[in-house]
Structure formats: C-alpha cells, structure tokens
Coordinates of all heavy atoms in Angstrom, one line a residue:
M1 N 6.3 -13.3 -2.4 CA 6.9 -12.0 -2.5 C 8.3 -12.1 -1.8 O 8.5 -12.8 -0.8 CB 6.0 -11.0 -1.7 CG 6.6 -9.7 -1.7 SD 5.6 -8.4 -0.9 CE 4.3 -8.3 -2.2
K2 N 9.2 -11.5 -2.4 CA 10.6 -11.4 -1.9 C 10.7 -10.5 -0.8 O 10.0 -9.5 -0.7 CB 11.5 -11.0 -3.1 CG 11.6 -12.0 -4.2 CD 12.5 -11.5 -5.3 CE 12.6 -12.5 -6.4 NZ 13.4 -12.0 -7.5
L3 N 11.6 -10.7 0.1 CA 11.8 -9.9 1.3 C 12.1 -8.4 0.9 O 11.6 -7.5 1.5 CB 13.0 -10.4 2.1 CG 13.3 -9.7 3.4 CD1 12.2 -9.8 4.4 CD2 14.6 -10.2 4.0
D4 N 13.0 -8.2 -0.1 CA 13.3 -6.9 -0.6 C 12.1 -6.1 -1.1 O 11.9 -4.9 -0.9 CB 14.4 -6.9 -1.6 CG 15.7 -7.3 -1.1 OD1 15.9 -7.3 0.1 OD2 16.6 -7.6 -1.9
D5 N 11.2 -6.8 -1.8 CA 10.0 -6.2 -2.3 C 9.0 -5.8 -1.1 O 8.5 -4.7 -1.1 CB 9.2 -7.1 -3.3 CG 10.0 -7.4 -4.6 OD1 10.8 -6.5 -4.9 OD2 9.8 -8.4 -5.2
A6 N 8.9 -6.7 -0.2 CA 8.1 -6.4 1.0 C 8.6 -5.2 1.7 O 7.9 -4.3 2.2 CB 8.0 -7.6 1.9
A7 N 9.9 -5.2 1.9 CA 10.6 -4.0 2.6 C 10.3 -2.7 1.8 O 10.0 -1.7 2.5 CB 12.1 -4.3 2.7
A8 N 10.4 -2.7 0.5 CA 10.1 -1.5 -0.3 C 8.7 -1.1 -0.1 O 8.4 0.1 0.0 CB 10.5 -1.8 -1.7
H9 N 7.7 -2.0 -0.1 CA 6.3 -1.7 0.1 C 6.1 -1.1 1.4 O 5.4 0.0 1.6 CB 5.4 -2.9 -0.1 CG 5.4 -3.4 -1.5 ND1 5.8 -4.7 -1.8 CD2 5.1 -2.9 -2.7 CE1 5.8 -4.9 -3.1 NE2 5.3 -3.8 -3.7
L10 N 6.7 -1.7 2.4 CA 6.5 -1.2 3.8 C 7.2 0.1 4.0 O 6.6 1.0 4.7 CB 7.0 -2.2 4.8 CG 6.2 -3.5 4.9 CD1 6.9 -4.6 5.7 CD2 4.8 -3.3 5.4
E11 N 8.3 0.3 3.4 CA 9.0 1.6 3.5 C 8.1 2.7 2.9 O 8.0 3.8 3.4 CB 10.3 1.6 2.8 CG 11.1 2.9 2.8 CD 12.5 2.8 2.1 OE1 12.8 1.8 1.6 OE2 13.2 3.8 2.2
A12 N 7.5 2.5 1.7 CA 6.7 3.5 1.1 C 5.5 3.8 2.0 O 5.1 4.9 2.1 CB 6.2 3.0 -0.3
L13 N 4.9 2.8 2.6 CA 3.7 3.0 3.5 C 4.1 3.5 4.8 O 3.2 3.9 5.6 CB 3.0 1.7 3.6 CG 2.3 1.2 2.3 CD1 1.7 -0.2 2.6 CD2 1.2 2.1 1.8
G14 N 5.4 3.6 5.1 CA 5.9 4.1 6.4 C 5.8 5.6 6.5 O 6.0 6.1 7.6
N15 N 5.5 6.3 5.5 CA 5.3 7.7 5.5 C 3.8 8.0 5.8 O 3.0 7.5 5.1 CB 5.8 8.3 4.2 CG 5.5 9.8 4.1 OD1 4.4 10.3 3.9 ND2 6.6 10.6 4.3
P16 N 3.5 8.8 6.8 CA 2.1 9.1 7.1 C 1.3 9.6 6.0 O 0.1 9.2 5.8 CB 2.2 10.1 8.3 CG 3.5 9.9 8.9 CD 4.4 9.5 7.7
T17 N 1.8 10.5 5.2 CA 1.1 11.1 4.0 C 0.8 10.0 3.0 O -0.3 9.9 2.5 CB 1.8 12.2 3.4 OG1 2.1 13.2 4.4 CG2 1.1 12.8 2.2
R18 N 1.8 9.2 2.7 CA 1.6 8.1 1.7 C 0.6 7.1 2.2 O -0.2 6.5 1.5 CB 2.9 7.4 1.3 CG 3.7 8.3 0.4 CD 4.9 7.6 -0.2 NE 6.0 7.3 0.6 CZ 7.0 8.1 0.9 NH1 7.1 9.2 0.3 NH2 8.0 7.7 1.7
L19 N 0.6 6.8 3.5 CA -0.3 5.9 4.1 C -1.7 6.4 4.0 O -2.7 5.7 3.7 CB 0.0 5.6 5.6 CG -0.8 4.5 6.3 CD1 -0.7 3.2 5.5 CD2 -0.2 4.3 7.7
K20 N -1.9 7.7 4.2 CA -3.3 8.4 4.1 C -3.7 8.2 2.6 O -4.9 7.9 2.4 CB -3.2 9.8 4.5 CG -3.1 10.1 5.9 CD -3.1 11.6 6.2 CE -2.7 11.9 7.6 NZ -2.5 13.4 7.8
I21 N -2.8 8.5 1.7 CA -3.2 8.4 0.3 C -3.6 7.0 -0.1 O -4.7 6.7 -0.7 CB -2.0 8.8 -0.6 CG1 -1.7 10.3 -0.5 CG2 -2.3 8.5 -2.1 CD1 -0.4 10.8 -1.0
Y22 N -2.8 6.0 0.4 CA -3.1 4.6 0.1 C -4.4 4.2 0.7 O -5.2 3.5 0.0 CB -1.9 3.8 0.5 CG -2.0 2.4 0.0 CD1 -1.8 2.1 -1.4 CD2 -2.2 1.3 0.8 CE1 -1.9 0.8 -1.9 CE2 -2.2 0.0 0.4 CZ -2.1 -0.2 -1.0 OH -2.2 -1.5 -1.5
R23 N -4.6 4.5 1.9 CA -5.9 4.1 2.6 C -7.1 4.7 1.9 O -8.1 4.1 1.8 CB -5.8 4.5 4.1 CG -4.8 3.6 4.8 CD -4.8 3.9 6.3 NE -6.1 3.3 6.8 CZ -6.6 3.7 8.0 NH1 -6.1 4.7 8.7 NH2 -7.7 3.1 8.4
T24 N -6.9 6.0 1.5 CA -8.0 6.6 0.7 C -8.3 5.9 -0.6 O -9.5 5.7 -0.9 CB -7.7 8.1 0.5 OG1 -7.4 8.7 1.7 CG2 -8.8 8.8 -0.3
L25 N -7.3 5.5 -1.3 CA -7.5 4.7 -2.5 C -8.0 3.3 -2.3 O -8.9 2.8 -3.1 CB -6.2 4.6 -3.3 CG -5.6 6.0 -3.8 CD1 -4.3 5.8 -4.5 CD2 -6.6 6.6 -4.8
I26 N -7.7 2.7 -1.2 CA -8.2 1.4 -0.8 C -9.7 1.6 -0.6 O -10.5 0.8 -1.1 CB -7.6 0.8 0.5 CG1 -6.1 0.5 0.2 CG2 -8.3 -0.3 1.0 CD1 -5.9 -0.7 -0.7
R27 N -10.1 2.6 0.1 CA -11.6 2.8 0.4 C -12.3 3.2 -0.9 O -13.5 2.9 -1.0 CB -11.7 4.0 1.4 CG -11.4 3.5 2.8 CD -11.9 4.6 3.8 NE -11.2 5.8 3.7 CZ -10.0 6.1 4.3 NH1 -9.4 5.2 5.0 NH2 -9.5 7.3 4.1
A28 N -11.6 3.8 -1.9 CA -12.3 4.2 -3.2 C -12.7 2.9 -4.0 O -13.6 3.0 -4.8 CB -11.4 5.1 -4.0
G29 N -12.1 1.8 -3.7 CA -12.4 0.6 -4.5 C -11.8 0.6 -5.9 O -10.9 1.3 -6.2
A30 N -12.4 -0.3 -6.7 CA -11.8 -0.6 -8.0 C -12.0 0.6 -9.0 O -11.2 0.7 -9.9 CB -12.5 -1.8 -8.6
V31 N -12.9 1.5 -8.7 CA -13.1 2.7 -9.6 C -11.9 3.7 -9.4 O -11.7 4.5 -10.3 CB -14.4 3.4 -9.4 CG1 -15.6 2.5 -9.7 CG2 -14.6 3.9 -8.0
G32 N -11.2 3.6 -8.3 CA -10.1 4.5 -8.1 C -10.6 5.9 -7.8 O -11.8 6.1 -7.5
M33 N -9.7 6.9 -7.9 CA -10.0 8.2 -7.5 C -9.1 9.2 -8.4 O -7.9 9.0 -8.4 CB -9.8 8.5 -6.0 CG -10.2 9.9 -5.6 SD -10.0 10.1 -3.8 CE -11.4 9.0 -3.2
P34 N -9.8 10.2 -8.9 CA -9.0 11.2 -9.7 C -8.0 11.9 -8.7 O -8.4 12.2 -7.6 CB -10.0 12.2 -10.2 CG -11.3 11.4 -10.2 CD -11.2 10.4 -9.0
V35 N -6.9 12.3 -9.3 CA -5.9 13.0 -8.4 C -6.5 14.3 -7.8 O -6.2 14.6 -6.7 CB -4.6 13.3 -9.3 CG1 -3.7 14.2 -8.5 CG2 -3.9 12.0 -9.7
G36 N -7.3 15.0 -8.6 CA -7.8 16.2 -8.1 C -8.7 16.0 -6.9 O -8.7 16.8 -5.9
R37 N -9.5 14.9 -6.9 CA -10.4 14.6 -5.8 C -9.6 14.2 -4.6 O -9.9 14.5 -3.4 CB -11.4 13.6 -6.2 CG -12.5 13.4 -5.1 CD -13.6 12.5 -5.4 NE -14.1 12.5 -6.7 CZ -14.5 11.4 -7.4 NH1 -14.6 10.2 -6.7 NH2 -14.9 11.4 -8.6
L38 N -8.5 13.4 -4.9 CA -7.6 13.0 -3.8 C -7.0 14.2 -3.1 O -6.9 14.2 -1.9 CB -6.6 12.1 -4.4 CG -5.7 11.2 -3.5 CD1 -6.6 10.3 -2.7 CD2 -4.8 10.3 -4.4
Q39 N -6.6 15.1 -3.9 CA -6.0 16.4 -3.4 C -7.0 17.1 -2.5 O -6.7 17.6 -1.4 CB -5.5 17.2 -4.5 CG -4.9 18.5 -4.0 CD -4.6 19.5 -5.2 OE1 -4.7 19.1 -6.3 NE2 -4.3 20.7 -4.8
D40 N -8.2 17.3 -3.0 CA -9.3 18.0 -2.2 C -9.6 17.3 -0.9 O -9.7 17.9 0.1 CB -10.6 18.1 -3.1 CG -10.4 19.1 -4.2 OD1 -9.5 19.9 -4.2 OD2 -11.3 19.0 -5.2
R41 N -9.7 16.0 -1.0 CA -10.1 15.2 0.2 C -9.0 15.2 1.2 O -9.3 15.3 2.4 CB -10.4 13.7 -0.2 CG -10.8 12.9 1.0 CD -11.5 11.7 0.7 NE -12.7 11.9 -0.1 CZ -13.4 11.0 -0.7 NH1 -13.0 9.7 -0.6 NH2 -14.5 11.2 -1.4
L42 N -7.7 15.1 0.8 CA -6.7 15.1 1.8 C -6.0 16.4 2.1 O -5.2 16.5 3.0 CB -5.6 14.1 1.3 CG -6.1 12.6 1.2 CD1 -5.0 11.7 0.6 CD2 -6.6 12.1 2.5
K43 N -6.4 17.4 1.4 CA -5.8 18.8 1.6 C -4.3 18.8 1.5 O -3.6 19.2 2.4 CB -6.3 19.4 2.9 CG -7.8 19.3 3.2 CD -8.5 20.3 2.2 CE -10.0 20.3 2.6 NZ -10.9 20.1 1.5
I44 N -3.8 18.2 0.4 CA -2.4 18.1 0.2 C -2.0 19.0 -1.1 O -2.7 18.9 -2.1 CB -1.9 16.7 -0.1 CG1 -2.3 15.8 1.1 CG2 -0.5 16.6 -0.5 CD1 -2.0 14.3 0.9
A45 N -1.0 19.7 -1.0 CA -0.5 20.5 -2.1 C -0.2 19.7 -3.3 O 0.2 18.5 -3.2 CB 0.7 21.3 -1.7
P46 N -0.6 20.2 -4.5 CA -0.4 19.3 -5.7 C 1.0 18.7 -5.9 O 1.2 17.6 -6.2 CB -0.7 20.3 -6.9 CG -1.5 21.3 -6.3 CD -1.1 21.5 -4.8
S47 N 2.1 19.5 -5.7 CA 3.4 19.0 -5.9 C 3.7 17.9 -4.8 O 4.4 16.9 -5.1 CB 4.4 20.1 -5.8 OG 4.4 20.8 -4.6
T48 N 3.3 18.1 -3.6 CA 3.5 17.1 -2.5 C 2.7 15.8 -2.8 O 3.3 14.7 -2.7 CB 3.0 17.7 -1.2 OG1 3.8 18.9 -0.9 CG2 3.3 16.7 0.0
L49 N 1.5 16.0 -3.3 CA 0.7 14.8 -3.6 C 1.4 14.0 -4.8 O 1.5 12.8 -4.7 CB -0.7 15.2 -4.0 CG -1.7 14.1 -4.4 CD1 -1.9 13.1 -3.2 CD2 -3.0 14.7 -4.9
S50 N 1.8 14.7 -5.8 CA 2.5 14.1 -6.9 C 3.7 13.3 -6.5 O 3.9 12.2 -6.9 CB 2.9 15.2 -7.9 OG 3.6 14.6 -9.0
H51 N 4.5 13.9 -5.6 CA 5.7 13.3 -5.1 C 5.4 12.0 -4.3 O 6.0 10.9 -4.6 CB 6.4 14.2 -4.1 CG 7.4 13.6 -3.2 ND1 8.7 13.2 -3.7 CD2 7.4 13.2 -1.9 CE1 9.4 12.7 -2.7 NE2 8.6 12.7 -1.6
H52 N 4.3 12.0 -3.5 CA 4.0 10.8 -2.7 C 3.3 9.8 -3.6 O 3.6 8.6 -3.4 CB 3.1 11.2 -1.5 CG 3.8 11.9 -0.5 ND1 4.9 11.3 0.2 CD2 3.7 13.2 0.0 CE1 5.3 12.2 1.1 NE2 4.6 13.3 1.0
I53 N 2.5 10.2 -4.5 CA 1.9 9.2 -5.4 C 3.0 8.5 -6.2 O 2.9 7.3 -6.4 CB 0.8 9.8 -6.4 CG1 -0.4 10.2 -5.6 CG2 0.4 8.9 -7.5 CD1 -1.4 11.1 -6.3
K54 N 4.0 9.3 -6.7 CA 5.0 8.7 -7.5 C 5.7 7.6 -6.7 O 6.1 6.5 -7.2 CB 6.0 9.7 -7.9 CG 7.2 9.2 -8.7 CD 8.2 10.3 -9.1 CE 9.3 9.6 -9.9 NZ 10.4 10.6 -10.2
A55 N 6.0 7.8 -5.4 CA 6.7 6.8 -4.5 C 5.8 5.6 -4.4 O 6.4 4.5 -4.4 CB 6.9 7.4 -3.2
L56 N 4.5 5.7 -4.4 CA 3.6 4.5 -4.3 C 3.5 3.8 -5.6 O 3.5 2.6 -5.7 CB 2.2 5.0 -3.8 CG 2.1 5.5 -2.4 CD1 0.8 6.1 -2.2 CD2 2.4 4.4 -1.4
V57 N 3.6 4.5 -6.7 CA 3.6 3.9 -8.1 C 4.9 3.2 -8.3 O 4.9 2.0 -8.8 CB 3.4 5.0 -9.2 CG1 3.6 4.4 -10.5 CG2 2.0 5.6 -9.1
V58 N 6.0 3.7 -7.9 CA 7.3 3.1 -8.2 C 7.4 1.7 -7.5 O 7.9 0.8 -8.1 CB 8.5 4.0 -7.6 CG1 9.8 3.2 -7.5 CG2 8.6 5.2 -8.5
V59 N 6.8 1.5 -6.3 CA 6.9 0.2 -5.7 C 5.7 -0.7 -6.1 O 5.6 -1.8 -5.6 CB 7.0 0.3 -4.1 CG1 8.3 1.0 -3.7 CG2 5.8 1.0 -3.5
G60 N 4.8 -0.2 -6.9 CA 3.7 -1.0 -7.4 C 2.4 -1.0 -6.5 O 1.5 -1.8 -6.8
L61 N 2.4 -0.2 -5.5 CA 1.2 -0.2 -4.7 C 0.0 0.6 -5.3 O -1.2 0.3 -5.0 CB 1.5 0.4 -3.3 CG 2.3 -0.4 -2.4 CD1 2.9 0.4 -1.2 CD2 1.5 -1.6 -1.9
V62 N 0.3 1.5 -6.2 CA -0.7 2.3 -6.9 C -0.4 2.3 -8.4 O 0.8 2.3 -8.8 CB -0.6 3.8 -6.3 CG1 -1.5 4.7 -7.2 CG2 -1.1 3.8 -4.9
T63 N -1.5 2.3 -9.1 CA -1.4 2.4 -10.6 C -2.2 3.7 -11.0 O -3.0 4.1 -10.2 CB -2.0 1.2 -11.3 OG1 -3.3 1.0 -11.0 CG2 -1.2 -0.1 -11.0
Q64 N -1.8 4.2 -12.2 CA -2.5 5.4 -12.7 C -3.0 5.1 -14.1 O -2.3 4.5 -14.9 CB -1.6 6.6 -12.6 CG -1.2 7.0 -11.2 CD -0.4 8.3 -11.2 OE1 0.7 8.3 -11.9 NE2 -0.7 9.3 -10.4
V65 N -4.2 5.7 -14.4 CA -4.7 5.5 -15.7 C -5.2 6.9 -16.1 O -5.9 7.6 -15.3 CB -5.9 4.5 -15.7 CG1 -6.6 4.5 -17.1 CG2 -5.5 3.2 -15.3
R66 N -4.9 7.3 -17.3 CA -5.4 8.6 -17.8 C -6.7 8.4 -18.6 O -6.8 7.6 -19.5 CB -4.3 9.3 -18.7 CG -4.8 10.7 -19.2 CD -3.7 11.5 -19.7 NE -2.6 11.8 -18.8 CZ -2.7 12.8 -17.8 NH1 -3.8 13.5 -17.6 NH2 -1.7 13.0 -17.1
E67 N -7.7 9.2 -18.2 CA -9.0 9.1 -18.9 C -9.2 10.6 -19.4 O -9.6 11.5 -18.6 CB -10.1 8.7 -18.0 CG -10.0 7.2 -17.6 CD -11.1 6.8 -16.7 OE1 -12.1 7.5 -16.4 OE2 -11.0 5.6 -16.2
A68 N -9.0 10.8 -20.6 CA -9.0 12.1 -21.2 C -8.0 13.0 -20.5 O -6.8 12.7 -20.5 CB -10.4 12.7 -21.2
T69 N -8.5 14.0 -19.8 CA -7.5 14.9 -19.1 C -7.4 14.6 -17.6 O -6.7 15.3 -16.9 CB -8.0 16.4 -19.2 OG1 -9.3 16.5 -18.7 CG2 -8.0 16.8 -20.7
T70 N -8.1 13.5 -17.2 CA -8.1 13.2 -15.7 C -7.2 12.0 -15.5 O -7.2 11.0 -16.2 CB -9.6 12.8 -15.3 OG1 -10.4 13.9 -15.6 CG2 -9.6 12.5 -13.8
L71 N -6.4 12.1 -14.4 CA -5.5 11.1 -14.0 C -6.2 10.3 -12.8 O -6.4 11.0 -11.8 CB -4.1 11.6 -13.6 CG -3.0 10.6 -13.4 CD1 -2.8 9.8 -14.7 CD2 -1.7 11.4 -13.1
I72 N -6.5 9.1 -13.0 CA -7.2 8.3 -12.0 C -6.1 7.4 -11.3 O -5.4 6.7 -12.0 CB -8.3 7.4 -12.6 CG1 -9.2 8.2 -13.5 CG2 -9.0 6.7 -11.5 CD1 -10.1 9.2 -12.8
C73 N -6.1 7.4 -10.0 CA -5.2 6.5 -9.2 C -6.0 5.3 -8.7 O -7.2 5.5 -8.3 CB -4.6 7.3 -8.0 SG -3.5 8.6 -8.5
H74 N -5.4 4.2 -8.7 CA -6.0 3.0 -8.2 C -5.0 2.3 -7.3 O -3.8 2.2 -7.6 CB -6.3 2.0 -9.4 CG -7.2 2.5 -10.4 ND1 -8.6 2.4 -10.3 CD2 -7.0 3.2 -11.5 CE1 -9.1 2.9 -11.4 NE2 -8.2 3.5 -12.1
A75 N -5.6 1.8 -6.2 CA -4.8 0.9 -5.3 C -4.6 -0.4 -6.1 O -5.5 -0.9 -6.7 CB -5.5 0.7 -4.0
N76 N -3.4 -1.0 -6.0 CA -3.1 -2.3 -6.6 C -3.4 -3.3 -5.6 O -2.6 -3.6 -4.8 CB -1.7 -2.3 -7.1 CG -1.4 -3.6 -7.9 OD1 -2.0 -4.6 -7.7 ND2 -0.4 -3.5 -8.8
Y77 N -4.6 -3.9 -5.7 CA -5.1 -4.8 -4.6 C -4.2 -6.1 -4.7 O -4.0 -6.8 -3.6 CB -6.5 -5.1 -4.8 CG -7.4 -4.0 -4.4 CD1 -7.9 -3.1 -5.4 CD2 -7.6 -3.6 -3.1 CE1 -8.7 -2.0 -5.1 CE2 -8.4 -2.5 -2.8 CZ -8.9 -1.7 -3.8 OH -9.7 -0.6 -3.5
E78 N -3.8 -6.5 -5.9 CA -3.0 -7.7 -6.0 C -1.7 -7.6 -5.2 O -1.3 -8.5 -4.4 CB -2.7 -8.1 -7.4 CG -1.9 -9.4 -7.6 CD -1.7 -9.7 -9.1 OE1 -2.5 -9.3 -9.9 OE2 -0.7 -10.3 -9.4
V79 N -1.0 -6.5 -5.3 CA 0.2 -6.2 -4.5 C -0.1 -6.1 -3.0 O 0.6 -6.7 -2.2 CB 0.9 -4.9 -5.0 CG1 2.1 -4.6 -4.1 CG2 1.4 -5.1 -6.5
M80 N -1.2 -5.5 -2.7 CA -1.6 -5.4 -1.3 C -1.8 -6.8 -0.7 O -1.3 -7.1 0.4 CB -2.9 -4.5 -1.1 CG -3.3 -4.4 0.3 SD -4.9 -3.6 0.5 CE -6.0 -4.9 -0.1
R81 N -2.5 -7.6 -1.4 CA -2.8 -8.9 -0.9 C -1.5 -9.7 -0.8 O -1.3 -10.5 0.2 CB -3.8 -9.7 -1.8 CG -5.2 -9.2 -1.6 CD -6.2 -10.0 -2.4 NE -7.4 -9.3 -2.5 CZ -7.8 -8.6 -3.6 NH1 -7.1 -8.5 -4.6 NH2 -9.0 -7.9 -3.5
G82 N -0.6 -9.6 -1.7 CA 0.7 -10.2 -1.7 C 1.5 -9.8 -0.5 O 2.1 -10.6 0.2
L83 N 1.5 -8.5 -0.1 CA 2.2 -8.0 1.0 C 1.6 -8.6 2.3 O 2.3 -9.1 3.2 CB 2.2 -6.5 1.1 CG 2.9 -5.8 2.2 CD1 4.3 -6.2 2.3 CD2 2.7 -4.3 2.1
V84 N 0.3 -8.6 2.4 CA -0.4 -9.1 3.6 C -0.1 -10.6 3.7 O 0.2 -11.1 4.8 CB -1.9 -8.8 3.6 CG1 -2.7 -9.6 4.7 CG2 -2.2 -7.3 3.7
D85 N -0.2 -11.3 2.6 CA 0.1 -12.8 2.7 C 1.5 -13.0 3.1 O 1.8 -13.9 3.9 CB -0.1 -13.4 1.3 CG -1.6 -13.5 0.9 OD1 -2.5 -13.3 1.8 OD2 -1.9 -13.8 -0.3
F86 N 2.5 -12.2 2.6 CA 3.8 -12.3 3.0 C 4.0 -12.1 4.5 O 4.7 -12.8 5.2 CB 4.7 -11.3 2.3 CG 6.1 -11.3 2.7 CD1 7.1 -12.2 2.2 CD2 6.6 -10.3 3.7 CE1 8.4 -12.1 2.7 CE2 7.9 -10.3 4.1 CZ 8.8 -11.2 3.6
L87 N 3.3 -11.1 5.1 CA 3.4 -10.8 6.5 C 2.8 -11.9 7.4 O 3.3 -12.1 8.5 CB 2.7 -9.5 6.8 CG 3.4 -8.2 6.2 CD1 2.5 -7.0 6.4 CD2 4.8 -8.0 6.8
V88 N 1.8 -12.6 6.9 CA 1.1 -13.6 7.8 C 1.5 -15.0 7.4 O 1.1 -15.9 8.1 CB -0.4 -13.4 7.8 CG1 -0.8 -12.0 8.3 CG2 -1.0 -13.7 6.4
A89 N 2.3 -15.2 6.4 CA 2.6 -16.5 5.9 C 3.2 -17.4 6.9 O 2.9 -18.6 7.0 CB 3.6 -16.4 4.7
E90 N 4.0 -16.9 7.8 CA 4.6 -17.8 8.8 C 4.1 -17.5 10.2 O 4.7 -17.8 11.2 CB 6.1 -17.6 8.7 CG 6.7 -18.0 7.4 CD 8.2 -17.9 7.3 OE1 8.9 -18.0 8.4 OE2 8.7 -17.8 6.2
C91 N 2.9 -16.9 10.3 CA 2.3 -16.6 11.5 C 2.2 -17.8 12.4 O 1.7 -18.9 12.0 CB 0.9 -16.0 11.3 SG 0.1 -15.6 12.9
C92 N 2.7 -17.7 13.6 CA 2.6 -18.8 14.6 C 3.3 -20.1 14.3 O 3.0 -21.1 14.9 CB 1.2 -19.0 15.0 SG 0.3 -17.5 15.4
T93 N 4.2 -20.1 13.2 CA 4.8 -21.4 12.8 C 5.8 -21.9 13.9 O 6.0 -23.1 13.9 CB 5.6 -21.2 11.5 OG1 6.6 -20.2 11.7 CG2 4.6 -20.9 10.4
E94 N 6.2 -21.0 14.8 CA 7.2 -21.5 15.8 C 6.4 -21.9 17.1 O 7.0 -22.3 18.0 CB 8.2 -20.4 16.1 CG 9.1 -20.3 14.9 CD 10.3 -19.4 15.1 OE1 10.6 -19.0 16.3 OE2 11.0 -19.0 14.2
T95 N 5.1 -21.7 17.1 CA 4.3 -22.1 18.2 C 4.5 -23.6 18.6 O 4.7 -24.0 19.7 CB 2.8 -21.8 18.0 OG1 2.8 -20.4 17.7 CG2 2.0 -22.1 19.3
S96 N 4.5 -24.4 17.5 CA 4.6 -25.9 17.8 C 6.0 -26.2 18.3 O 6.2 -27.1 19.1 CB 4.3 -26.7 16.5 OG 5.2 -26.3 15.5
E97 N 7.0 -25.4 17.8 CA 8.4 -25.6 18.3 C 8.4 -25.3 19.8 O 9.1 -26.0 20.5 CB 9.4 -24.7 17.6 CG 9.8 -25.3 16.3 CD 10.9 -24.4 15.6 OE1 11.7 -23.7 16.4 OE2 11.0 -24.4 14.4
S98 N 7.8 -24.2 20.2 CA 7.8 -23.9 21.6 C 7.1 -24.9 22.4 O 7.6 -25.3 23.5 CB 7.0 -22.5 21.8 OG 7.7 -21.5 21.2
K99 N 6.0 -25.5 22.0 CA 5.3 -26.6 22.7 C 6.2 -27.8 22.8 O 6.3 -28.5 23.8 CB 4.0 -26.9 22.0 CG 2.9 -25.9 22.2 CD 1.7 -26.3 21.5 CE 0.6 -25.2 21.5 NZ -0.6 -25.5 20.8
D100 N 6.9 -28.1 21.6 CA 7.8 -29.3 21.6 C 8.9 -29.1 22.6 O 9.3 -30.1 23.3 CB 8.4 -29.5 20.2 CG 7.3 -30.0 19.2 OD1 6.2 -30.4 19.7 OD2 7.6 -29.9 18.0
T101 N 9.5 -27.9 22.7 CA 10.6 -27.6 23.6 C 10.1 -27.8 25.1 O 10.8 -28.4 25.9 CB 11.1 -26.2 23.4 OG1 11.5 -26.1 22.0 CG2 12.3 -25.9 24.3
K102 N 8.9 -27.3 25.4 CA 8.4 -27.4 26.7 C 8.1 -28.8 27.1 O 8.3 -29.3 28.2 CB 7.1 -26.6 26.9 CG 7.3 -25.1 26.9 CD 6.0 -24.3 27.0 CE 6.2 -22.8 26.9 NZ 5.0 -22.1 26.9
T103 N 7.6 -29.6 26.1 CA 7.3 -31.0 26.4 C 8.6 -31.8 26.6 O 8.6 -32.7 27.5 CB 6.5 -31.6 25.2 OG1 5.4 -30.8 24.9 CG2 6.1 -33.0 25.4
A104 N 9.6 -31.5 25.9 CA 10.9 -32.2 26.0 C 11.6 -31.9 27.3 O 12.4 -32.7 27.8 CB 11.8 -31.9 24.8
A105 N 11.4 -30.7 27.9 CA 12.1 -30.3 29.1 C 11.5 -30.9 30.3 O 11.3 -31.8 30.8 CB 11.9 -28.8 29.3

C-alpha cells in the first residue's frame, strides 16, 4: 500500500462517526448490513449517515451493493488487511539497529 493511500484510509477512520460505522460493518461480517439497519443501530440521521458512508466508500474501506430496494454496506476486508499490514510492516525493524549501536559503543 502506498503512503498516500494509507493516509487517506486513516483520515477517513479518524472521524468518530465513520469509525463507529466501520466497526459496525466489520462486526457484521461478509453479509454486510443494510443502510436502514445501520441507521437504526447507530441512531444517525439519514443524511449524516449517507455523508459518512460516502467518505468510506470513496477511500475503498466500504463497498455497497443494491439488492432490490435495499442498499447493503460491506466492509472491504482486503483494504482493511492492507492497511493493517502497512502499519505493522516495519514493526521493530530498527530494534536490531539499536542493539548494534549499543554493542558498538
């Protein structure tokens, strides 16, 4: 994942309402959740919910599928895993450098 993409994902999730929406969709699993149920569960006004879902869709964290008259939202697990992998990819890589520096001193 590119740095700019990771920053965009994290920026979208940096809003408390969007983070609540995303976490709710993560818990819903692969079946996703209809927008109406998401609205009922989170007690968010329809226009506000639509605005926040759009922000998550634009960065690819959420996808939507229409089934007849129902709009189903899904967390995009592939993007989520990519973001998590990006964040931990270099975890502790400088630890060996610190040890080398201490040993050389």
Side-chain angles (χ1 to χ4, degrees):
M1 176 174 292
K2 295 178 182 175
L3 183 65
D4 289 345
D5 293 336
H9 294 120
L10 292 169
E11 182 179 1
L13 293 173
N15 177 282
T17 301
R18 286 195 285 271
L19 188 55
K20 285 180 194 175
I21 293 166
Y22 192 66
R23 292 184 72 202
T24 301
L25 292 174
I26 292 293
R27 286 192 295 274
V31 296
M33 186 176 289
V35 171
R37 190 175 324 147
L38 196 55
Q39 179 188 351
D40 290 342
R41 181 162 299 170
L42 297 177
K43 308 292 187 232
I44 299 173
S47 60
T48 302
L49 181 61
S50 177
H51 164 77
H52 288 298
I53 289 173
K54 181 181 178 186
L56 294 168
V57 168
V58 166
V59 297
L61 288 165
V62 170
T63 60
Q64 294 181 309
V65 176
R66 183 163 299 281
E67 293 180 7
T69 59
T70 304
L71 192 58
I72 310 291
C73 294
H74 300 270
N76 186 334
Y77 292 100
E78 184 177 327
V79 171
M80 180 189 70
R81 285 185 196 99
L83 179 58
V84 171
D85 289 347
F86 175 83
L87 292 172
V88 300
E90 296 183 26
C91 178
C92 309
T93 57
E94 293 188 12
T95 303
S96 62
E97 276 185 31
S98 294
K99 288 180 185 176
D100 292 341
T101 303
K102 287 179 185 176
T103 305

